[in-house]
Structure formats: structure tokens, C-alpha cells
Amino acid sequence: MTDAHAFIPAAKPVIDEAEIEAAVRVLRSGRVVQGPEVAAFEEEFSELVEGRHCVAVNSGTSALHLTLLGLGIGPGDEVIVPSFSFAASANAVRLVGADVVFVDIEADSYCLDPAAVEAAITPRTAAIMPVHLYGHPAAMDRIMAIAQQHDLAVVEDACQAHAAALNGTPVGAFGAAGTFSFYPTKNMHSLEGGMVTTADAQLARTLRLLRNQGMEQRYANEIVGANVRMTDVSAAVGRVQLTKLAGWTEQRNANAAYLTEHISAANVVTPTTAEGARHIFHQYTVRILGDRDAAMAKLTEAGVGNAVYYPTPIHRLKPYWEPDQKAGRTWDLPETERAAAEVVSLPVHPALTREDLDRIVTAVNALGEQL
Ligand SMILES: *Cc1c(COP(=O)(O)O)cnc(C)c1O
């Protein structure tokens, strides 16, 4: 029985018996850090990215950070990043001492605007970091063409986009590297965890060294590295989740289609999918044309979870805003600012029932009269 008045959460991380059993099995085995489970997880995940090399790490942020280190990006380099993302995207750039160049997004996909990317390229540009936001692939066909023309590396932030694709090519299989997160609220998780995907065997080897103090052979350190290893407990949980990802993605898409079909409030704009894109609906994000705070309060009152990703564009966050102010640098990002002011994400996770979906639709359509 479902409680008609129970709150419908915006996200619902899954830890079922299978995940618990896998974790316990590893704990009992005594092999808990970067052992056989991590190797198997890497092997199995590579099927999502056309057999590319996969290097597991302890978070999506570490995946981004290590990739930039592995590509030799550092002080004096510029990396093009959307400001409309989670701060981790830009943080990785700053962590290696490079400069973030913020670029605007497309209104429909919420991902990097290729024309704006091209306009932002300077002699110092080293890389472009498209973010496949909400699970919608960025315009990789155009971004890859620009990168090739200017000889730039592309680092895909696919942390929200497991198994998204554009024209049949999965995200994480376009750029020099792709990065994924397995944080509990993502479409699949490993408690905490991340993965780098790359077709470049040399880069993959460098990343394996960087994640483990620069060692392949114990105590024969080849380079300066960190410790961002994944545990075998995480990998075992991730392997279980990976087997469920396809089914969950199908359910997310069905939920999104149902919401889009039934949401009819004139002041609520439902999400679109670009031609050729496979959206995996990490988030189902609408625009509220009106008083968003009031809308969110009404949704919450109706028991419908909701959240803004992200209320403050990265360029307006203190660690970016203050140095830019000091340097007299400003960014012209009208679509980013508009999105940050208008978006709200609604529940779309696979655990939603038809009854939940109908309650979400009713609550959203009621906003039409309330705003
Ligand atoms: C979650 C996320 C990250 C960081 O992943 P963690 O595993 O939390 O470190 C990076 N970029 C984007 C777009 C994300 O959503």
C-alpha cells in the first residue's frame, strides 16, 4: 500500500539486498581496496563507452581532477567550462592551477553553446569541458569539430549522464576523456566513486599511476601521484547497480514522457530532447515562468519534492566571483542567468508509481492558477 500523502522525494538512492550482499561479500573476503572488484567494475563499465579504457577512482571530482592532471593541463592554461553546472566542473580546473573560462549554455539543452565555445577560444585555451547536464548530451558533434579545428582536448563531464548518447555514440566516448560520478543520487552509484573513460592507452596508464601515488609496482614510484583509489566495496556495489542501469534508464524515460504528456500549465515549460540525443533524465527539469519560490512552496505543500540545480551559476560563487571582480573580469552569460532563475527539477526517479506521477502532474498543473 502506498500512502497517498507521503512526500515524494526528488531523488531516491537505491541500496537493496543485492548491494548489501555484494558489500558484505567483499568485506568478508578481506580484499577491500582496489582489488578484483575494481578491475571487474572497470571492465564491465567499459561496455557503456564502446570498450574504452576505464579507470575507477573515489569520486567524479577526482575523475575530473586526475584527467586534467593526466592531460598536463595547469598554470597558464585556460579551460572552457559552462557556468551552469555543479561547482565540481570548475573546481577541477582550478585545482590544477588552470584558469576557468565560463561560457554560456543553449536554452533548450542547458549544455554548452558551441558558438559561444568557439568565440571564447584564445591562444591559451587547452581544453573544453562540456557538461552533459541533467543527463542530456551536449552538442558533441559540433564541439568535437571545434576542438579538432583548434587542436584542443575535450574532457566530458558525464557525471550526470551514464549511458546518454548523441547520434548513437555514448557520452564518455567522444572526448580525450569522459568522467562519471557514482555519488548516491546519480543514476547509478557506488556509495562514492568515479570513473574516467579514454581511448588513449597512455593516458589510461598515467591515470592509473596518478590515482595510486605514481606506482604501478609497489614502492617503485614513477611520478608524483595522489591516493584517489576506489574501494572494492564501492566497486562491488557499483557492479550491482550497473546491471540495473538499463532498466532504470528506461523507467526514467517513461516517467519523463508521462510528465511531459500530462503537464499542461501554461507557465511551466517542460524539457526537450535535441534531435539525435538520448536523454537519460538524471533530472526532469522545468522552467517556471513566474514566481519560482511560490511555485516550489506549493509543490512542497502538495508533497512533491523539488530542487533547483543550480540556483547560483558557478561564476557567481565566491571562489570564482571574488578573483574575477579583483581582475575586472566579467562574463556575459544571459542563458545561464535565466536558467538559474527559472529552473526547478521534479521527481523522475525509477521508484515513482503511476499514482506518484499523477500527484506530481496535478500539483504542477495547479500552479497554472496559483502563480
Ligand atoms: C556529481 C557531479 C560531479 C562530481 O561528482 P562527485 O562524485 O560528487 O565528486 C561533477 N560534475 C557534475 C556535473 C556532477 O553532477
Side-chain angles (χ1 to χ4, degrees), residues 215-267:
M215 298 187 289
E216 185 174 280
Q217 305 293 332
R218 190 176 293 185
Y219 309 135
N221 307 57
E222 300 175 38
I223 58 174
V224 172
N227 169 9
V228 292
R229 294 182 298 255
M230 178 181 272
T231 69
D232 261 30
V233 175
S234 276
V237 170
R239 291 180 70 196
V240 171
Q241 295 251 319
L242 186 56
T243 66
K244 303 180 190 174
L245 180 68
W248 282 339
T249 301
E250 210 170 295
Q251 193 59 53
R252 282 177 180 272
N253 271 279
N255 293 346
Y258 190 88
L259 293 173
T260 295
E261 189 185 337
H262 293 91
I263 289 174
S264 57
N267 50 1

Side-chain angles (χ1 to χ4, degrees), residues 58-62 64 85-86 88-89 131 133 157 159-160 180-183 186 192-194 282 310:
N58 63 355
S59 74
T61 307
S62 295
L64 284 165
S85 181
F86 182 48
S89 312
V131 179
L133 202 73
D157 181 340
C159 286
Q160 301 187 359
F180 293 82
S181 166
F182 306 119
Y183 182 73
K186 309 290 163 129
E192 288 264 24
H282 172 60
Y310 295 89

Side-chain angles (χ1 to χ4, degrees), residues 34 55 66 202-217 220-229:
Q34 203 179 283
V55 180
L66 239 59
Q202 195 54 48
L203 177 61
R205 178 166 195 277
T206 302
L207 293 169
R208 290 180 196 286
L209 291 175
L210 285 170
R211 78 173 163 186
N212 188 31
Q213 313 287 4
M215 298 187 289
E216 185 174 280
Q217 305 293 332
N221 307 57
E222 300 175 38
I223 58 174
V224 172
N227 169 9
V228 292
R229 294 182 298 255

Side-chain angles (χ1 to χ4, degrees), residues 1-38:
M1 288 296 290
T2 55
D3 178 355
H5 301 288
F7 192 79
I8 305 169
K12 197 160 183 285
V14 175
I15 301 178
D16 282 339
E17 277 311 309
E19 283 84 350
I20 293 167
E21 276 170 24
V24 169
R25 172 169 48 77
V26 171
L27 290 170
R28 290 198 196 286
S29 80
R31 289 285 308 270
V32 295
V33 172
Q34 203 179 283
E37 293 288 337
V38 167

